[in-house]
Amino acid sequence: MMMFFTHQCPVKRTTVTRSERCIIKLLNRERIAPMSVLNDLKYMKLFITQAAIDPSPRQLSSTELAPNHDPRLTPLNPSRRGILAHGIVLSALSALFGLPLFAHSSAAAALVDEDIATSVFQAVSPSVASIAIVRPVGGVDVREVVGSGVVWDAVGPHVVTNFHVIPRLQGTNALLEVTLQDTATGTVTTLPARVAGSDSLHDLAVLKLLPRAELSDGDGGAATVPGVPPTVAPIRVAVPGDLWVGQFAYALGCVASDPSRPTWSLSAGLVSGLQRSIPSPVGARIYGVIQTEAVVNAANSGGPLVDSLGRMVGLNTAVGAARSGTARGSGLSFALPVDLLLDLVPKIIVYGNPYGKK
Amino acid sequence: MLCRRCGHVQRSRPVCIKSLNICVQTGASKNDNVGTTDYVTRRNILLGGAVLGAVAAAPARSVTLEEVTPATAAGGLNLLPPREAAVVSLFARNTYSIANIVDVALQGRTAASPEVDVPEGNGTGFVWDDEGHVVTNYHVVLNSLKGLGPDPAGRGIGSAAERPKVAKVTLLNPTNDIEQTFDAVLVGADRTRDLVVLQLLGAPPSALQPIQLGSSASLRVGQQCLAIGNPFGFGHTLTSGVISALNRDIRSQLGTTIPGGIQTDASINPGNSGGPLLDSTGRVIGINTAIFTPTGSSAGIGFAIPVDMVKVVIPQLIQNGKVVRPSLDAQIASDSVAQRLKVSKGALIQMVTPGGAADKAGLLPTRRGLSGIILGDVIQAVNGRPVNSGGDLLVALDSLTVGDTAKLQLVRSTDQGLQELELSVVLGKDK
């Protein structure tokens, strides 16, 4: 378990703090008493947690954030029962080639057409960005990945993500950075970003990418040449309402703990239900949410949910689990529907808020 | 420098003009919601240094709504790959047969809290026939049945007026797609196999779409399966997986063991129980009953009662209200006890009810002797059908009826060593 932490955790550190060891112990203890339950009222309560990691060192959900996790690297102890991954995670290391190097296929993969899955991944992953915050800690810049985002347009360029993915920035020295693929040059570029607006009620936030030249410490008063914005690939968006229960959905994410080497990930599953309601970060409810079997975790939170035609049908947001704080999902993941995005995101970009007024 | 409220660049002031309460750049007034309060604060401010160039820092130009609304790409059912279209149509057909079941004894118990979606039901069932019979698990309506006394199955006998109401069942009407809720009364209950049959009161025939039953005899590991249910109250949820294993012993919530179970990795969660497990043609191959998990939610191991067992039990429940099973009137040792006593193959008899079928046939229980524990008879075959464990014995007895003569092949421990015997047993009634 310790090895799992240090190898898979994207946060650059080599020691595990005491609170994290406590979490490891908790996770270990959970395995001791498997039981056969269904419809036990004790377990009927569903905790819907926004799939995100808290960049403060106290809470770490590294079991969620394992984009490169190949099960062959961490062999399962045969005496551990009840820990079986479900859902697929296909991860590709190279942005340029996009070849699936590891394929961990579980049973849900049997329904998924591999050719479609790989072509969807190759087509859509340029539109998925990784969002990180950089904060100076003792003179050194520490970069922590907070989640994924999806490129919305080339005008800004704007990146849409979840509100809960963006940590509290006011009053801190932290900066947001977005890593994505520049389609003109074919390379990976990391740009600073600022929050253009957000809607905490619907758990949305929009980032505007800033040209790199802006961050340079210019001389007092001298006008710096604005940097050339990158050529980004905005995602293809589906027509609202064009989704059926039983269709396949692919949840994409991007994690770039090293700004020059981002890793894109894909997980697939069926669309399990439509028109669900989940709690929003401010306590109200969001309606019309898509429920899917594709694994949504902190790595692809804020990333797109895509159908077999490569169009975005949702934004990965939350995961439901029977126990609060458990990193393991239970096959219930939630994504904001695309009609919500088409309605709110343009207003957030133009006005800074979803109401359409300045 | 940046205005701390709206994030736009100020040339000279770090905050908006307080007296006017209007931001110089955007015209936003103090009380407008301009988004989050978490803005990027430039390190430049803290370094006390540079002022950003006006040209670079000012927002280049304001964008219009049309520019930031992407064009949507059309799709449609006819553009879906055939596999997906098949799953979509399978769900659309079968969703009308799935019922959301709420135990009446539980209504009004759970208090809503913000992070929890109020469960709309605590179990799933499906429509069995045109008469309004709905099949589900016994433990879905357990709280109501507990209130009916020691023999709830017996209360189902009689006219519809006498039968007790145990659940509220919600169905999706196939004609107009509207959810309708009906009261349901108990028709029959089988605690041993965790099955119960309810009948809807006042359900018009147009609201009922009976489900199609398949067969579990020819199932193979690796076959695709789909489950429709109400996990955590989310109605009509479709999950998919494969058949992970066959012939599993399901330890039901009621303490009984159901043999021949189908293991699947489709996500089965609390709320899914009683719901059907469908094969890729949309026919029922099992009823989801239990999961094996350390967290209380799906961990990829779910168990379903095979439909062949259901097809034997449900008609008896509808007709008689209960199922009369043949029994040896003997207690069979559980797998762990048998393992400790070093019985690797066969069903070990632990205790024999005096005067029962096994006692009359002369079967010997596990008993204490002078030198320690003497093992009871270990049943190796029933009517020629090999028995490897207690679960196998239950499956073998399932195919027989009360009063049948069963030929048992046993291995008996005697002073001379192990002796192979064949005895005939007249099966008695299971209590």
Side-chain angles (χ1 to χ4, degrees):
Chain A
M1 201 62 188
M2 297 287 267
M3 192 175 82
F4 182 86
F5 251 22
T6 50
H7 282 243
Q8 311 305 333
C9 172
V11 175
K12 285 193 200 126
R13 68 172 74 184
T14 51
T15 57
V16 177
T17 64
R18 188 170 55 184
S19 52
E20 284 149 3
R21 267 184 249 126
C22 292
I23 296 176
I24 302 170
K25 276 205 216 118
L26 276 175
L27 289 173
N28 282 335
R29 210 182 296 142
E30 276 178 6
R31 293 197 293 273
I32 291 174
M35 52 216 151
S36 180
V37 296
L38 250 193
N39 191 31
D40 190 297
L41 281 181
K42 199 163 53 166
Y43 299 99
M44 270 294 277
K45 239 164 91 136
L46 176 72
F47 292 90
I48 298 181
T49 51
Q50 317 305 74
I53 51 170
D54 185 344
S56 64
R58 284 173 294 110
Q59 288 174 7
L60 197 69
S61 51
S62 71
T63 47
E64 295 177 294
L65 200 65
N68 292 333
H69 177 51
D70 182 5
R72 291 173 290 185
L73 297 175
T74 53
L76 280 177
N77 187 346
S79 67
R80 281 156 55 170
R81 299 153 97 195
I83 314 291
L84 290 179
H86 57 97
I88 339 173
V89 176
L90 280 172
S91 34
L93 281 181
S94 166
L96 298 175
F97 304 112
L99 293 170
L101 294 180
F102 307 124
H104 167 223
S105 49
S106 84
L111 279 178
V112 174
D113 189 335
E114 285 179 357
D115 295 328
I116 295 182
T118 46
S119 55
V120 161
F121 180 78
Q122 286 179 4
V124 180
S125 53
S127 308
V128 184
S130 170
I131 301 175
I133 59 166
V134 180
R135 51 158 77 98
V137 171
V140 174
D141 276 344
V142 171
R143 183 191 159 90
E144 288 180 282
V145 176
V146 291
S148 306
V150 54
V151 177
W152 183 257
D153 59 35
V155 169
H158 294 106
V159 167
V160 175
T161 180
N162 281 317
F163 177 73
H164 69 260
V165 164
I166 314 290
R168 191 151 196 85
L169 297 165
Q170 192 180 31
T172 66
N173 307 351
L175 285 177
L176 275 175
E177 276 193 355
V178 173
T179 305
L180 42 63
Q181 197 167 3
D182 184 345
T183 46
T185 59
T187 55
V188 165
T189 169
T190 301
L191 294 168
R194 68 171 182 88
V195 179
S198 68
D199 181 9
S200 53
L201 183 65
H202 294 102
D203 202 6
L204 281 173
V206 179
L207 308 179
K208 180 176 155 66
L209 301 183
L210 303 164
R212 184 147 279 282
E214 281 211 10
L215 250 202
S216 56
D217 297 2
D219 313 312
T224 53
V225 176
V228 177
T231 317
V232 297
I235 197 160
R236 277 176 74 218
V237 177
V239 171
D242 204 11
L243 195 61
W244 285 269
V245 176
Q247 240 181 290
F248 298 150
Y250 307 90
L252 283 105
C254 180
V255 171
S257 34
D258 179 0
S260 58
R261 297 181 62 230
T263 55
W264 281 265
S265 70
L266 173 94
S267 70
L270 290 186
V271 172
S272 290
L274 299 171
Q275 303 301 324
R276 304 301 192 202
S277 83
I278 60 169
S280 80
V282 293
R285 299 201 75 88
I286 311 174
Y287 296 96
V289 176
I290 303 168
Q291 182 189 339
T292 172
E293 277 192 308
V295 174
V296 169
N297 49 34
N300 58 20
S301 176
L305 189 73
V306 174
D307 67 359
S308 295
L309 300 172
R311 317 172 298 162
M312 176 163 84
V313 291
L315 196 76
N316 307 322
T317 299
V319 66
R323 231 181 251 180
S324 170
T326 321
R328 279 173 278 244
S330 49
L332 271 70
S333 308
F334 301 98
L336 300 175
V338 74
D339 48 353
L340 199 79
L341 300 174
L342 283 170
D343 182 27
L344 297 176
V345 172
K347 290 184 193 151
I348 295 175
I349 294 173
V350 174
Y351 303 111
N353 63 69
Y355 308 110
K357 303 194 290 272
K358 282 206 190 258
Chain B
M1 297 210 181
L2 285 185
C3 164
R4 283 196 207 127
R5 198 173 305 122
C6 56
H8 286 271
V9 170
Q10 300 291 305
R11 233 172 286 178
S12 53
R13 291 168 207 272
V15 292
C16 292
I17 302 174
K18 274 191 184 169
S19 55
L20 293 177
N21 291 333
I22 292 176
C23 169
V24 171
Q25 291 286 345
T26 63
S29 81
K30 188 170 76 168
N31 295 320
D32 264 359
N33 174 13
V34 282
T36 66
T37 52
D38 309 305
Y39 293 110
V40 177
T41 52
R42 299 282 180 183
R43 280 186 289 188
N44 291 347
I45 298 176
L46 300 162
L47 293 173
V51 173
L52 298 164
V55 173
R61 57 186 178 87
S62 55
V63 289
T64 60
L65 275 179
E66 290 73 31
E67 283 174 334
V68 292
T69 309
T72 53
L77 268 178
N78 48 349
L79 286 184
L80 284 179
R83 232 188 270 193
E84 283 185 53
V87 178
V88 169
S89 60
L90 190 157
F91 177 79
R93 273 196 327 266
N94 285 300
T95 190
Y96 299 109
S97 312
I98 307 300
N100 190 334
I101 298 183
V102 184
D103 194 342
V104 290
L106 294 175
Q107 278 179 321
R109 247 181 65 169
T110 48
S113 52
E115 77 269 9
V116 164
D117 197 19
V118 177
E120 296 157 4
N122 63 325
T124 315
F126 56 91
V127 179
W128 179 261
D129 58 18
D130 289 326
E131 292 167 29
H133 289 116
V134 168
V135 172
T136 181
N137 277 141
Y138 190 103
H139 68 259
V140 169
V141 289
L142 181 65
N143 283 288
S144 292
L145 294 180
K146 271 198 245 177
L148 294 179
D151 183 24
R155 293 283 302 274
I157 305 169
S159 69
E162 298 164 357
R163 290 175 184 164
K165 276 191 211 157
V166 294
K168 279 203 184 310
V169 174
T170 305
L171 285 176
L172 198 57
N173 194 317
T175 48
N176 50 14
D177 263 342
I178 296 180
E179 295 223 318
Q180 291 174 301
T181 305
F182 307 101
D183 285 328
V185 295
L186 175 71
V187 169
D190 182 9
R191 199 193 159 92
T192 321
R193 294 289 183 259
D194 202 0
L195 290 169
V196 77
V197 178
L198 312 171
Q199 182 156 31
L200 303 175
L201 294 181
S206 59
L208 301 172
Q209 184 176 298
I211 209 164
Q212 279 187 317
L213 298 173
S215 147
S216 54
S218 52
L219 289 178
R220 309 194 54 190
V221 173
Q223 236 179 286
Q224 284 167 21
C225 54
L226 298 140
I228 309 182
N230 304 318
F232 301 109
F234 290 110
H236 298 270
T237 295
L238 174 74
T239 52
S240 69
V242 294
I243 295 182
S244 303
L246 294 168
N247 240 333
R248 292 293 197 223
D249 285 341
I250 308 174
R251 265 210 311 267
S252 82
Q253 219 180 352
L254 310 167
T256 62
T257 304
I258 304 170
I262 304 167
Q263 183 187 330
T264 174
D265 75 338
S267 305
I268 311 281
N269 284 291
N272 262 118
S273 52
L277 190 69
L278 309 165
D279 63 5
S280 49
T281 60
R283 285 176 232 267
V284 178
I285 53 172
I287 296 185
N288 301 318
T289 299
I291 54 177
F292 187 81
T293 167
T295 57
S297 62
S298 168
I301 303 182
F303 299 103
I305 303 175
V307 75
D308 287 347
M309 190 180 292
V310 173
K311 284 200 267 196
V312 166
V313 167
I314 301 298
Q316 291 189 45
L317 289 183
I318 293 176
Q319 200 160 21
N320 305 325
K322 52 183 172 179
V323 179
V324 178
R325 288 207 160 75
S327 160
L328 289 174
D329 294 324
Q331 188 189 11
I332 308 295
S334 66
D335 284 344
S336 50
V337 170
Q339 209 173 25
R340 252 187 291 138
L341 294 173
K342 309 258 190 322
V343 173
S344 54
K345 187 174 176 312
L348 170 67
I349 296 182
Q350 200 166 348
M351 276 196 315
V352 161
T353 315
D359 195 26
K360 286 192 197 145
L363 290 164
L364 296 176
T366 306
R367 55 219 181 266
R368 243 178 222 292
L370 288 171
S371 49
I373 294 180
I374 304 178
L375 290 179
D377 291 343
V378 179
I379 301 174
Q380 302 284 352
V382 174
N383 282 350
R385 191 171 159 171
V387 165
N388 292 326
S389 67
D392 282 350
L393 180 66
L394 290 173
V395 174
L397 288 178
D398 249 0
S399 51
L400 303 167
T401 50
V402 177
D404 273 2
T405 306
K407 278 207 196 43
L408 303 176
Q409 268 186 315
L410 322 162
V411 168
R412 178 171 287 181
S413 310
T414 60
D415 297 336
Q416 287 82 33
L418 296 174
Q419 196 186 11
E420 281 203 5
L421 280 186
E422 212 178 273
L423 290 181
S424 288
V425 176
V426 176
L427 297 172
K429 273 199 235 178
D430 193 20
K431 305 215 188 358

